[in-house]
Amino acid sequence: MHTVAVLALDRVIPFDLSAPIDAFGWARLPDGREAYRVRVCSDREEVSAGAFTVRAPYGLDALAEADTIILPGVEEPPDPLPPGVTEALCAAAARGTRIASVCVGAYLFAATGLLDGLRATTHWIAAPDLAARYPEVTVDPNVLYVDNGQFLTSAGAAAALDMCLHMIRKDHGSAVAAHAARMSVMPLEREGGQAQFIVHDRPPAPSGATFEPLLRWLDDHCDKALTLEDIAARAGMSTRTLNRRFREQTGTTPLQWLHRARVRRAQYLLETTAYPVERIAEQAGFGSPTAFRERFRRVVGTSPQGYRRAFRTDSA
């Protein structure tokens, strides 16, 4: 039987710990037998898990017997890792053991050096920090998980289930994975990636920035067919000067800012109204429904209808 070892370090995040335990625990072979043996391991007898304490039945030596090792996130990822952890994980990797991280468990994974030169993901809010701490790792904040073959990483929270279902399907086929998905009350594949869950705030402008009135005007008039010349006229300067000063203060261009403002308005309308896509495209300032769909998917990572299904409020 395939053995999955879930490594619980101190201050482990409860959901990160439980999600793979449940996902692999629900998997059943066609004859009804359990598909996986799941073991919780740790470097100590007890670890904190926020509101409760976990007593792990297995130590680090159990990692040597695992076919798959899962690294849940912890509240404050240690670097270096606790004694013996890096050595155990690197030894497992050398034997060909599959290793996967959940959410900010990518910090633990990256600290071993095993992700150097590879693409990885984590919770979108932690992605910039992970990339800064471990520059040898290519961090992609827009996906639900990354599969490098032997090494996998998942985004935040529920993306752990997406990754686990993906591994179950690779191990035992779609039928077994589909059953585990039904038990998890999850689709076997979710539309879009992590980008759809990122809050696309306006790029920050320095306090007291001279363009603040212009930014408010762009937000208020993003439904209009504005050109760069229109924006420059509003600002009272040439297009070249506008582009240069706008980038200095906001880090982006006026038209890129305008596109993001339109996407934010479209997200709000998709969440709070039942308007058809054509009407939302018009009210958000896109030239056509086709242009709207293309721009929305490029920024958010899913279609307008997919976003609406995921985020529309009950009262809309």
Side-chain angles (χ1 to χ4, degrees):
M1 185 184 294
H2 188 117
T3 299
V4 176
V6 183
L7 181 60
L9 299 183
D10 196 38
R11 302 181 72 184
V12 65
I13 297 172
F15 186 90
D16 291 9
L17 176 66
S18 62
I21 293 173
D22 281 348
F24 288 109
W26 281 322
R28 294 291 183 272
L29 298 176
D31 61 6
R33 289 181 297 121
E34 293 181 351
Y36 298 92
R37 177 191 299 112
V38 182
R39 293 174 171 173
V40 178
C41 310
S42 184
D43 62 324
R44 58 182 73 182
E45 289 187 4
E46 291 187 354
V47 294
S48 169
F52 55 91
T53 300
V54 174
R55 291 182 60 87
Y58 298 93
L60 292 179
D61 55 343
L63 300 181
E65 303 172 4
D67 301 291
T68 296
I69 298 172
I70 306 293
L71 303 176
V74 298
E75 290 183 17
E76 293 292 338
D79 185 12
L81 299 179
V85 173
T86 296
E87 293 79 3
L89 292 174
C90 289
R95 291 190 298 271
T97 302
R98 181 172 62 186
I99 303 176
S101 62
V102 175
C103 193
V104 291
Y107 282 85
L108 309 178
F109 209 165
T112 66
L114 293 170
L115 291 181
D116 287 359
L118 298 178
R119 180 167 159 260
T121 192
T122 187
H123 193 294
W124 61 268
I125 204 168
D129 181 62
L130 179 68
R133 289 199 200 188
Y134 301 100
E136 297 301 314
V137 180
T138 301
V139 180
D140 184 349
N142 295 316
V143 295
L144 296 175
Y145 59 84
V146 173
D147 182 355
N148 290 296
Q150 184 182 2
F151 302 146
L152 299 90
T153 52
S154 82
L161 294 173
D162 294 284
M163 180 182 69
C164 291
L165 292 172
H166 168 72
M167 288 191 282
I168 293 169
R169 183 169 53 185
K170 287 184 67 175
D171 293 341
H172 299 292
S174 295
V176 175
H179 171 76
R182 287 194 296 271
M183 296 301 293
S184 303
V185 197
M186 282 278 294
L188 186 53
E189 288 188 3
R190 280 196 287 169
E191 182 179 4
Q194 192 178 187
Q196 64 188 298
F197 303 101
I198 298 173
V199 179
H200 293 283
D201 292 329
R202 297 190 314 180
S207 177
T210 57
F211 276 131
E212 185 60 34
L214 180 64
L215 303 182
R216 288 197 300 269
W217 181 82
L218 284 173
D219 274 345
D220 292 341
H221 295 81
C222 67
D223 58 321
K224 305 296 190 297
L226 298 175
T227 65
L228 183 62
E229 288 72 20
D230 295 330
I231 301 172
R234 176 70 185 186
M237 57 186 67
S238 69
T239 56
R240 177 178 296 184
T241 301
L242 172 69
N243 267 327
R244 176 174 56 81
R245 292 185 180 176
F246 200 96
R247 186 177 288 279
E248 287 173 354
Q249 292 199 21
T250 69
T252 188
T253 68
L255 291 180
Q256 287 172 335
W257 182 289
L258 180 61
H259 290 322
R260 280 297 176 88
R262 287 170 172 164
V263 168
R264 288 195 305 274
R265 175 167 294 189
Q267 286 176 301
Y268 174 78
L269 293 172
L270 288 166
E271 293 171 18
T272 60
T273 75
Y275 297 162
V277 167
E278 292 75 13
R279 181 173 176 181
I280 291 177
E282 179 183 353
Q283 292 196 355
F286 293 93
S288 69
T290 299
F292 168 47
R293 290 187 179 95
E294 291 177 354
R295 173 68 63 174
F296 193 89
R297 182 177 287 278
R298 193 180 312 157
V299 174
V300 183
T302 189
S303 66
Q305 292 291 7
Y307 184 88
R308 168 171 273 163
R309 285 193 296 269
F311 294 103
R312 184 180 170 191
T313 59
D314 292 338
S315 59

